[in-house]
């Protein structure tokens, strides 16, 4: 039985004041049955670590370096993240792939580095609208996944995958539950074919998940929760989504 998860990706949003309000509301809420994670910008990890201490809400980062340490200006090592209580880290978000030219191999290396530090990487994959319209969704996602499957196949149940169609991120346009389920089933099948214990792997859906569409998406057999952007910045919305998971 896979435990559902809802992870909030704050992206480059927040301030000391708004974070405190949001985190206090999450901590004060009744404990969700799913695993709840918030992934804050790096400078706010210390604040979040302090405010989440003793709660059931886990802390994550939005990226990490593929290197252990060294002369990599601007990068953040997994060892630094664990010092701030991070148990999770998003890798390969489409915004990082698009704006920072992250390759599938780099994403896999980051996931490997996170696992080595005892963290849970949340590995994102997803196609653009153009790729979907050209009928390339499975080919694109298959390739994105393969680098991680090749490197970490047998450890796959220790990480979390997230299907995030690029055309649904921050656009208000959500994949239908059927569209999402189809890709999630494909992802699980791909993992199975590459020798992984696919039934144990959690696959989250991300892309304009809101309180009013979450339950229908999470009811799909291969959707194990969500990676939530915009709606994770509002405590009531994020808690409602966690309740749906
Ligand atoms: C995301 O950035 O991971 C995301 C899913 O964003 P949104 O929920 O805002 O579409």
């Amino acid at each position: 039985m896979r435990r559902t998860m809802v992870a909030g990706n704050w992206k480059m949003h927040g301030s000391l004041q708004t974070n405190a309000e949001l985190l206090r509301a999450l901590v004060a809420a009744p404990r969700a049955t799913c695993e709840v994670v918030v992934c804050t910008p790096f400078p706010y990890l210390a604040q979040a670590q302090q405010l989440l201490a003793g709660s059931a809400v886990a802390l994550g980062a939005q990226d990490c370096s593929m290197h252990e340490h060294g002369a990599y200006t601007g990068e953040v090592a997994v060892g630094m993240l664990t010092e701030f209580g991070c148990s999770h880290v998003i890798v390969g978000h489409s915004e990082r792939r698009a704006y920072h030219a992250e390759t599938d191999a780099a994403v896999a290396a980051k996931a490997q580095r996170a696992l080595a530090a005892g963290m849970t990487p949340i590995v994102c994959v997803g196609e653009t609208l153009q790729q979907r319209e050209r009928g390339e969704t499975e080919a694109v996602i298959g390739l994105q996944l393969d680098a991680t499957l090749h490197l970490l196949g047998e450890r796959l149940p220790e990480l979390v995958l997230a299907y995030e169609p690029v055309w649904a991120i921050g656009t208000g346009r959500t994949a239908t539950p059927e569209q999402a389920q189809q890709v999630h089933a494909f992802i699980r099948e791909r993992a199975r074919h590459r020798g992984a214990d696919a039934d144990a792997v959690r696959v989250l859906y991300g892309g304009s998940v809101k309180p009013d569409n979450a339950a229908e998406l999470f009811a799909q057999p291969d959707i194990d929760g969500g990676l939530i952007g915009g709606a994770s910045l509002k405590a009531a919305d994020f808690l409602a989504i966690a309740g749906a998971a």
Side-chain angles (χ1 to χ4, degrees):
M1 183 72 179
R2 299 183 295 269
R3 186 172 180 215
T4 51
M5 172 189 281
V6 165
N9 173 16
W10 287 10
K11 310 197 188 199
M12 200 172 70
H13 293 294
S15 68
L16 289 172
Q17 191 191 322
T18 58
N19 302 344
E21 288 163 9
L22 178 49
L23 292 169
R24 284 196 178 109
L26 298 185
V27 167
R31 200 185 174 117
T33 49
C34 68
E35 197 174 340
V36 178
V37 185
V38 290
C39 300
T40 75
F42 293 133
Y44 297 136
L45 289 173
Q47 180 197 24
Q49 180 185 29
Q50 200 179 24
L51 288 172
L52 294 175
S55 83
V57 180
L59 181 59
Q62 297 171 19
D63 185 34
C64 65
S65 175
M66 71 172 90
H67 305 288
E68 194 174 2
H69 49 71
Y72 300 104
T73 302
E75 296 211 21
V76 175
V78 288
M80 299 170 185
L81 298 179
T82 56
E83 282 199 311
F84 285 92
C86 283
S87 51
H88 295 71
V89 58
I90 299 170
V91 295
H93 190 281
S94 61
E95 288 151 14
R96 295 216 53 92
R97 290 176 186 266
Y99 309 143
H100 301 275
E102 281 191 12
T103 62
D104 300 331
V107 172
K110 288 179 179 199
Q112 186 179 41
R113 185 64 68 191
L115 279 180
M119 298 175 75
T120 302
I122 301 173
V123 180
C124 303
V125 296
E127 82 288 7
T128 64
L129 185 58
Q130 238 187 1
Q131 290 165 334
R132 173 162 281 265
E133 286 174 347
R134 286 200 299 253
E136 296 169 0
T137 299
E138 293 190 354
V140 167
I141 287 167
L143 278 180
Q144 289 175 342
L145 271 180
D146 279 354
T148 296
L149 290 172
H150 181 69
L151 201 60
L152 300 168
E154 74 288 355
R155 298 196 67 183
L156 210 60
E158 296 171 61
L159 45 84
V160 173
L161 302 176
Y163 168 54
E164 297 208 305
V166 178
W167 47 273
I169 295 180
T171 59
R173 190 174 161 185
T174 321
T176 64
E178 295 72 28
Q179 282 174 321
Q181 166 57 28
Q182 201 174 9
V183 178
H184 280 236
F186 167 77
I187 289 172
R188 209 174 293 288
E189 241 358 84
R190 186 85 167 197
R192 201 184 320 280
H193 273 120
R194 298 289 186 273
D197 180 6
D199 290 325
V201 182
R202 289 182 292 179
V203 188
L204 310 183
Y205 169 78
S208 297
V209 177
K210 302 278 182 280
D212 60 0
N213 60 20
E216 221 190 338
L217 285 159
F218 300 163
Q220 300 300 312
D222 287 299
I223 300 184
D224 304 310
L227 181 55
I228 318 298
S232 71
L233 297 170
K234 292 186 198 133
D237 286 1
F238 189 56
L239 289 168
I241 292 168

